[in-house]
Amino acid sequence: MAEAGAASPQSPRFTERLKRCVCCSWPCVCALWVAALLALVCALRSPLKLQEALSAASVFLNTLTPKFYVALTGTSSLISGLILIFEWCYFRKYGTSFIEQVSVSHLRPLLSGGEGGPSPAGLFSVSGDSESRPSVSECKVWRNPLNLFRGSEYSRYTWVTGKEPLTYYDMNLSAQDHQTFFSCDTQQQLRPEDAVMQKAWRERNPQSRIKAAYQAIELNSECASAYVLLAEEEATTIAEAERLFKQALRNAGRDTNLLVYIKRRLAMCARKLGRVKEAVKMIRELMKEFPLLGMLNIHENLLEALLEMQAYADVQAVLAKYDDISLPKSATICYTSALLKARAVSDKFSPEAASRRGLSTAEMNAVEAIHRAVEFNPHVPKYLLEMKSLILPPEHILKRGDSEAVAYAFFHLQHWKRVEGALNLLHCTWEGTFRMIPYPLEKGHLFYPYPGCTESADRELLPSFHEVSVYPKKELPFFILFTAGLCSFTAVLAMLTHQFPELMGVFAKAFFSTLFVPLGFFIDKMESFMPASFWHQLSRI
């Protein structure tokens, strides 16, 4: 019977033991290679001459049969394939090469004499089993300040494409938000219509939610939350949604959550219907009436509307208030600040001229603002530069993640296009950000290190047909590419050797003979510099 507590091949303890064994055997292998090289040099010099050694090698190669070459290449291909499979599985689970991890975690401390830093697997792993990687539940998601209307926008997309733009995880978060926003105090007795609406928000089927909203209206014709649900999900146009929101506003009473939600959505309706000045006025009044609700990020609605009006001075005034070191940042804050600074120089910016004369103070400020924005959210530039296709933004976003980048670019791409040369300046400078950020991401430059949980959370928030942007990009490590090439090469050699053993034997002999020619030349040169007594003493060691 196996000993209790023994490590299985799938257990982390087994993997750790395997890493230790490889680490411990690595110096021995290196020492054997060095000893073999010295023995080869000594054997070539004494007691045999170089010509005798080459003739002996030729005799040895001539005695090899085709079966030997078949067995050699087949075995090499098998070993390379097994290493490739192990490396690939390890990379898929931990995001790094096993050989590279052993080198960084074990060999580098031995060579440098210090303690090893955090392993790449702990920094870049996307597996939920990694202890250093926060889970999706630990990543704070935020309500998208500019989220679309389900009935008049998301549903239209589904009708046209047949694809669902929202994930169940995203809609479940919205259901929890709605229950929090639109539920009365638990200490009070629930009214019948409130009980119906609480069940309505939890329904997964849209038609069931709409049916429950009508039931609540039958119980009480002034049920504001029921009209909110109908405006969000049943209305097929923005104008119809605005009408229902106005009806909900008349019945909202003094419920603060309802008032804030409805007024914000009414301002968004006005913005979508082209009444931008009216929308700006409504948002300003809402922010003045409820100044303590900064967590709802209503100022991001205001920034987008002001950019649509091209009221850049007003945009700068809003940024002066909210782009403060003590306040949380967002892609809207950082990239809007970069856009305003780029606007001052982008129309005359030329990469060739800047490389000749250097950057002016204004250009340097614009480039630094772009670097700051890219460090906060590195996914945005590819959407703004249309290097990656946009999709409808989710109802919730993860700051610094791909979901936030999609939401920002969806609404702000037009504002960047409107500023002449802004996208050109972004294109020329955004990749320079990554040269300033330490690698691995042990610390940031202007912000905290990039969080590791974004990829897992974004995959839950974004639909499956969207290719989630990942930072840092997990390129295939060199050792995996090298092993794949070696495996493929040896497999081809094995097949050719099996089909044409005599011909491949001739090629192998010619290859090894050619391989010994540079070695013989090197030995001859060494002989001219080194005295014969040195080689004799070396051979005796």
Side-chain angles (χ1 to χ4, degrees):
M1 180 179 292
E3 182 181 350
S8 66
Q10 292 79 18
S11 67
R13 195 192 315 171
F14 178 83
T15 306
E16 189 63 26
R17 288 179 181 175
L18 181 60
K19 289 191 286 186
R20 291 177 183 173
C21 292
V22 173
C23 175
C24 295
S25 62
W26 192 275
C28 299
V29 173
C30 295
L32 288 175
W33 273 104
V34 173
L37 182 59
L38 289 175
L40 175 63
V41 172
C42 297
L44 289 175
R45 296 310 309 156
S46 179
L48 296 177
K49 298 296 184 180
L50 175 62
Q51 292 77 11
E52 296 176 355
L54 293 177
S55 62
S58 177
V59 172
F60 171 74
L61 293 174
N62 289 329
T63 58
L64 298 178
T65 63
K67 293 182 179 181
F68 169 80
Y69 295 106
V70 175
L72 176 65
T73 53
T75 305
S76 301
S77 178
L78 176 62
I79 295 174
S80 301
L82 293 176
I83 295 175
L84 176 62
I85 294 173
F86 174 77
E87 281 278 283
W88 175 250
C89 295
Y90 195 89
F91 173 74
R92 289 294 301 273
K93 185 174 183 180
Y94 297 106
T96 187
S97 165
F98 173 76
I99 300 176
E100 288 183 1
Q101 183 186 1
V102 170
S103 302
V104 173
S105 303
H106 301 282
L107 296 183
R108 185 174 67 178
L110 292 176
L111 296 177
S112 61
E115 293 296 330
S119 66
L123 288 168
F124 302 131
S125 169
V126 297
S127 171
D129 299 331
S130 177
E131 294 181 357
S132 61
R133 203 39 101 153
S135 64
V136 178
S137 60
E138 295 173 348
C139 297
K140 180 175 177 57
V141 295
W142 300 75
R143 182 81 174 179
N144 184 2
L146 298 169
N147 66 300
L148 304 177
F149 295 87
R150 286 190 184 178
S152 54
E153 291 176 307
Y154 286 121
S155 295
R156 285 180 174 272
Y157 179 84
T158 304
W159 298 339
V160 173
T161 64
K163 298 178 180 178
E164 289 292 340
L166 298 177
T167 64
Y168 173 70
Y169 176 72
D170 191 16
M171 291 189 290
N172 186 48
L173 292 175
S174 297
Q176 296 176 19
D177 293 341
H178 293 150
Q179 291 179 68
T180 303
F181 290 159
F182 309 133
S183 298
C184 61
D185 192 347
T186 56
Q187 294 180 356
Q188 299 177 359
Q189 185 176 1
L190 283 178
R191 296 174 298 180
E193 62 271 19
D194 293 331
V196 172
M197 288 307 301
Q198 279 196 340
K199 294 180 180 179
W201 296 119
R202 294 194 297 265
E203 290 286 349
R204 295 186 60 176
N205 190 334
Q207 296 303 320
S208 300
R209 291 194 293 269
I210 294 172
K211 182 179 179 181
Y214 278 114
Q215 291 177 357
I217 292 176
E218 290 178 359
L219 295 173
N220 183 1
S221 60
E222 297 183 354
C223 182
S225 58
Y227 287 105
V228 168
L229 190 148
L230 294 178
E232 290 284 354
E233 304 203 25
E234 187 186 39
T236 56
T237 63
I238 299 297
E240 185 180 355
E242 184 180 39
R243 179 184 62 81
L244 289 169
F245 275 121
K246 288 181 178 179
Q247 178 67 30
L249 183 61
R250 287 193 291 268
N251 302 329
R254 297 182 179 180
D255 191 324
T256 302
N257 291 338
L258 265 176
L259 287 174
V260 172
Y261 186 92
I262 294 171
K263 288 184 177 181
R264 183 180 193 169
R265 298 303 264 177
L266 280 172
M268 294 178 67
C269 289
R271 162 68 182 91
K272 293 174 183 293
L273 293 173
R275 307 195 306 270
V276 186
K277 290 185 178 180
E278 179 184 344
V280 169
K281 181 182 178 181
M282 295 173 67
I283 296 172
R284 288 188 183 278
E285 291 176 352
L286 182 60
M287 295 173 64
K288 185 177 180 180
E289 185 178 0
F290 304 99
L292 301 179
L293 296 179
M295 68 182 69
L296 299 179
N297 298 320
I298 303 176
H299 58 275
E300 295 194 9
N301 299 84
L302 179 60
L303 285 173
E304 197 280 325
L306 290 173
L307 286 172
E308 179 64 21
M309 293 173 58
Q310 301 184 44
Y312 296 110
D314 293 336
V315 173
Q316 185 61 56
V318 176
L319 287 177
K321 181 178 179 181
Y322 289 96
D323 192 5
D324 186 84
I325 192 172
S326 61
L327 297 176
K329 299 295 182 291
S330 66
T332 301
I333 293 292
C334 294
Y335 278 90
T336 302
S337 177
L339 175 61
L340 292 188
K341 292 184 179 179
R343 176 176 171 269
V345 298
S346 59
D347 56 337
K348 300 178 182 178
F349 177 79
S350 170
E352 295 78 11
S355 62
R356 290 195 305 268
R357 59 175 170 77
L359 295 175
S360 64
T361 303
E363 289 174 339
M364 184 63 70
N365 291 336
V367 171
E368 289 177 352
I370 289 175
H371 287 175
R372 169 179 177 259
V374 174
E375 182 181 350
F376 182 83
N377 193 317
H379 310 287
V380 173
K382 286 192 175 182
Y383 293 108
L384 293 180
L385 298 172
E386 298 182 82
M387 300 167 64
K388 192 174 181 183
S389 8
L390 272 172
I391 60 171
L392 295 186
E395 293 184 336
H396 289 80
I397 59 174
L398 184 68
K399 287 190 176 182
R400 307 187 73 179
D402 191 33
S403 53
E404 184 190 35
V406 169
Y408 172 81
F410 185 86
F411 295 101
H412 289 262
L413 176 58
Q414 57 181 337
H415 306 318
W416 279 82
K417 287 185 174 181
R418 191 178 291 126
V419 177
E420 182 182 357
L423 290 176
N424 178 48
L425 180 60
L426 176 68
H427 175 73
C428 296
T429 57
W430 74 277
E431 290 181 318
T433 307
F434 307 118
R435 291 193 293 268
M436 301 183 299
I437 302 175
Y439 184 85
L441 300 182
E442 300 169 352
K443 59 180 179 178
H445 179 61
L446 298 173
F447 298 99
Y448 288 107
Y450 189 80
C453 62
T454 53
E455 182 183 357
S456 301
D458 280 333
R459 292 191 186 280
E460 297 290 335
L461 291 171
L462 296 170
S464 58
F465 57 82
H466 173 72
E467 182 182 354
V468 175
S469 179
V470 178
Y471 174 77
K473 183 64 176 178
K474 295 177 180 63
E475 302 288 351
L476 283 177
F478 165 77
F479 285 104
I480 289 185
L481 298 175
F482 175 77
T483 308
L486 182 63
C487 177
S488 303
F489 178 70
T490 53
V492 171
L493 282 182
M495 182 183 66
L496 292 176
T497 306
H498 182 268
Q499 294 293 329
F500 313 101
E502 288 80 7
L503 182 60
M504 292 301 295
V506 173
F507 281 140
K509 294 172 186 176
F511 171 76
F512 284 113
S513 299
T514 307
L515 188 64
F516 278 115
V517 172
L519 182 61
F521 177 79
F522 174 75
I523 295 298
D524 288 338
K525 289 297 182 182
M526 291 294 293
E527 184 180 20
S528 63
F529 289 104
M530 297 292 182
S533 59
F534 173 79
W535 297 107
H536 180 68
Q537 295 295 333
L538 186 63
S539 63
R540 294 180 63 184
I541 294 177

